[in-house]
Amino acid sequence: MNKQQPFATPMAHHTHKPLSVSLVAAALFISGCSTPLDARKDTGFQSNAHAMDRPANRPVRSLSSFSDSLMCMDHMFRDAEVPTTLITSKQIPDYSGRVPVATKDMIITALSQMSRLSNAFRYVDFEVDIARQDTVQNLTTILLNNNQIKLQRPALYVSGAVAFVDQNVINNRFDVGTSASRLETGFSKDNKATIIGMDLQLGDFRSRTLIPGLDSANEVIVGSGGQGLDLAGRIGDYGWQFNVGRDYTQGSGAAVRTLVDLAMIELTGKWTRLPYWQCLTLEQAHPYFQRQLRDWYEEGSTAVRGALVKNSLVSAGYLPANIQGLPLNHPQMRDAISRYQADQGMVVTGVVDFMTYERALRQYVALGDKGELIRVGWTPTVDTPTQPNINDGTVTAAPTGAPYGSPPNPLGLNLQMENLVADKSKFEQGTQIFLSATVSRAAHLYCYLQASNGKVQRILPNPTNRASLVSANQTVRIPDWMAPNPGFILDAGLPGNEAAACFATGDDVFAMLPAPMQIDGLQLIEGFEGMDSIQKAFEQAAVGTELTTQRMQWTSLPRNSR
């Protein structure tokens, strides 16, 4: 025993030493934590907060599968000269409590998108629910009680609800695992589907009755799924664990917007008795449309994407046809992209991102014989010959209007009379006249009025609205009857023939016009009589740029002559 004592004593000392060192280290750490940290030492790190607090991705416009259908309806309403209808909406409840989205505001947005050019619908915004009233509503109530404002009665109203939310209607699960002495594995996969239904109706506000047949009842499926892999084991006395997975969940907000857009197309199309189904059969309404465009976007290089968008802009008239070698960051290219984005109602960035790519090429996608989406006329035309050919063999020949090998689309101008009368060719003296103009893409717009004596004055631009550049995403009202100060009133003058004409140019040609025509608007132009003289001056000034014109004429009758 005495021989073993010297051996046992060092072993006991060696066993307790790590424990004592750990206790001392823990005590020092705890005492250090009790001392407040010096924030001044973290100022360098904290200075990054301003930059890191900003979103890393650019905002994009919220779109649904029927966004292009809404634009189609807007053009259909304008072509049919649908008069403006006042409309409002009830709250659209969700009694399931599973879809907490602003459905009423989505209805307002859908109506607005269908009325940008046509002015087909105007939403009456008035809330009677005290719990939802804000500053605007409170001021409205005060002014109404004092007879200082007057609300117009809507003709229609939207009623309905999120009818049902059936969660996990189908659920597919798969789990498998193995176990051994030193290794355990596991794999899991699941898929779920939920159905959201929405019922909307259109009602007559005057009688507060729902109009038979003007209803929409649709449902959409949103899915979720995921899969995961687990690994665990031991190597000697040490254990390790590994886990990886991926999941997706389709949001209810995008699903409800899709249902709202579809419902408003159906309801307004039935109300106006127009062939709204023509706007629902667009390829862009295919549920795989954006996903397929995203796949093609990822396949191509930056040069290929830029070449595709550039040639599409050339076809649309935003860039000259003979342009070559223009880099994407060139000011002319960024300006063309910005004007195109503004005309499409997008968030203007001036860069070729996916949303710009999708908007620029959406017209060159078609459905194949098997129902698949195929590219039409996507012939690669990049500036460097080493770029890959993106034609995968499924592309058909480029049709008329494809982005390659076809002339640019001409600048379009549409001038309409907005007076709600059957005969728009004759007006009694003093009758107010309302016009509206739209362009097919961003352009400079100049409008003139010819009196019965032949004298001419420019009504747009004018001292109240000096800007000539207008976007294709808006209607120019002449005069702007929705503005508190329109700047002028257009009414039938002395008996005789009168006319109004608008001129749209690709570039600003105001400085090229004769000096008498460069005076401020709403003044008689000396030395010019009749609209023909104005048109001749524009034709001479617009050499080298696009020029489109449209004229409207009417007869001013003596008072009480009709």
Side-chain angles (χ1 to χ4, degrees), residues 107-128:
I107 291 175
I108 298 173
T109 301
L111 290 170
S112 176
Q113 291 181 359
M114 289 190 293
S115 305
R116 288 176 176 171
L117 305 180
S118 61
N119 294 308
F121 295 94
R122 288 176 58 189
Y123 189 87
V124 179
D125 182 22
F126 185 75
E127 182 61 62
V128 296

Side-chain angles (χ1 to χ4, degrees), residues 201-265:
Q201 306 88 27
L202 210 58
D204 176 50
F205 193 88
R206 181 176 55 181
S207 61
R208 286 303 304 270
T209 57
L210 298 178
I211 305 173
L214 295 188
D215 58 74
S216 173
N218 302 299
E219 57 188 49
V220 67
I221 298 175
V222 293
S224 63
Q227 59 184 18
L229 175 66
D230 296 293
L231 297 176
R234 296 187 65 84
I235 300 177
D237 295 334
Y238 296 94
W240 55 271
Q241 190 174 17
F242 178 78
N243 176 275
V244 64
R246 57 180 183 176
D247 305 274
Y248 75 89
T249 300
Q250 294 176 333
S252 59
V256 172
R257 183 179 292 280
T258 300
L259 291 174
V260 167
D261 290 350
L262 174 58
M264 298 316 299
I265 291 172

Side-chain angles (χ1 to χ4, degrees), residues 371-383:
E372 78 281 10
L373 293 170
I374 60 174
R375 293 171 278 198
V376 178
W378 289 31
T379 305
T381 312
V382 294
D383 296 328

Side-chain angles (χ1 to χ4, degrees), residues 145-354:
N145 295 335
N146 294 330
N147 295 322
Q148 292 183 281
I149 63 173
K150 182 180 180 180
L151 293 181
Q152 291 181 289
R153 183 189 66 193
L156 304 172
Y157 70 95
V158 180
S159 179
V162 177
F164 60 88
V165 178
D166 292 339
Q167 288 188 312
N168 303 332
V169 175
I170 56 175
N171 189 349
N172 186 12
R173 297 186 304 274
F174 175 78
D175 297 281
V176 65
T178 63
S179 178
S181 60
R182 291 186 175 273
L183 178 66
E184 294 183 356
T185 64
F187 176 78
S188 62
K189 181 179 179 180
D190 71 293
N191 293 281
K192 301 176 183 179
T194 296
I195 300 179
I196 302 176
M198 175 175 289
D199 288 19
L200 293 180
Q201 306 88 27
L202 210 58
D204 176 50
F205 193 88
R206 181 176 55 181
S207 61
R208 286 303 304 270
T209 57
L210 298 178
I211 305 173
L214 295 188
D215 58 74
S216 173
N218 302 299
E219 57 188 49
V220 67
I221 298 175
V222 293
S224 63
Q227 59 184 18
L229 175 66
D230 296 293
L231 297 176
R234 296 187 65 84
I235 300 177
D237 295 334
Y238 296 94
W240 55 271
Q241 190 174 17
F242 178 78
N243 176 275
V244 64
R246 57 180 183 176
D247 305 274
Y248 75 89
T249 300
Q250 294 176 333
S252 59
V256 172
R257 183 179 292 280
T258 300
L259 291 174
V260 167
D261 290 350
L262 174 58
M264 298 316 299
I265 291 172
E266 292 178 338
L267 293 177
T268 56
K270 294 175 183 178
W271 164 256
T272 55
R273 299 181 180 179
L274 293 176
Y276 65 91
W277 52 87
Q278 296 178 3
C279 295
L280 294 177
T281 56
L282 301 176
E283 282 78 3
Q284 293 85 350
H286 195 287
Y288 291 169
F289 185 83
Q290 278 206 337
R291 292 177 175 86
Q292 183 62 73
L293 265 293
R294 186 74 197 193
D295 291 342
W296 292 336
Y297 177 82
E298 297 293 345
E299 289 175 7
S301 65
T302 302
V304 169
R305 299 170 194 163
L308 288 170
V309 173
K310 184 187 302 182
N311 283 277
S312 179
L313 294 180
V314 170
S315 177
Y318 290 88
L319 288 170
N322 58 353
I323 192 168
Q324 292 292 337
L326 191 67
L328 295 179
N329 60 351
H330 191 277
Q332 184 180 0
M333 185 68 182
R334 290 179 63 89
D335 177 70
I337 295 173
S338 299
R339 287 186 286 114
Y340 177 79
Q341 291 170 334
D343 288 346
Q344 296 297 317
M346 302 168 56
V347 177
V348 178
T349 62
V351 299
V352 179
D353 51 14
F354 169 69

Side-chain angles (χ1 to χ4, degrees), residues 342-508:
D343 288 346
Q344 296 297 317
M346 302 168 56
V347 177
V348 178
T349 62
V351 299
V352 179
D353 51 14
F354 169 69
M355 297 304 295
T356 306
Y357 176 93
E358 186 266 342
R359 292 283 93 186
L361 300 176
R362 71 189 190 281
Q363 300 295 340
Y364 310 109
V365 177
L367 286 176
D369 296 336
K370 299 180 180 179
E372 78 281 10
L373 293 170
I374 60 174
R375 293 171 278 198
V376 178
W378 289 31
T379 305
T381 312
V382 294
D383 296 328
T384 55
T386 59
Q387 295 300 328
N389 190 324
I390 64 169
N391 193 323
D392 59 2
T394 63
V395 182
T396 62
T400 302
Y404 310 105
S406 61
N409 295 330
L411 176 62
L413 171 63
N414 181 261
L415 181 64
Q416 287 189 5
M417 181 84 68
E418 296 290 343
N419 291 63
L420 300 179
V421 293
D423 187 1
K424 299 182 180 182
S425 63
K426 299 177 182 179
F427 297 95
E428 286 188 2
Q429 183 180 355
T431 302
Q432 290 193 17
I433 297 175
F434 301 96
L435 306 173
S436 67
T438 61
V439 291
S440 61
R441 63 175 180 271
H444 294 270
L445 185 67
Y446 312 87
C447 295
Y448 293 80
L449 174 66
Q450 172 194 313
S452 58
N453 59 2
K455 298 297 183 180
V456 182
Q457 59 179 314
R458 190 179 72 250
I459 53 179
L460 284 178
N462 57 53
T464 302
N465 183 8
R466 297 183 178 275
S468 63
L469 184 62
V470 298
S471 170
N473 194 34
Q474 67 182 34
T475 297
V476 179
R477 292 176 286 270
I478 310 171
D480 191 352
W481 57 85
M482 296 185 64
N485 182 20
F488 66 96
I489 296 176
L490 184 61
D491 54 12
L494 297 176
N497 295 325
E498 298 181 331
C502 287
F503 303 85
T505 60
D507 298 322
D508 189 359

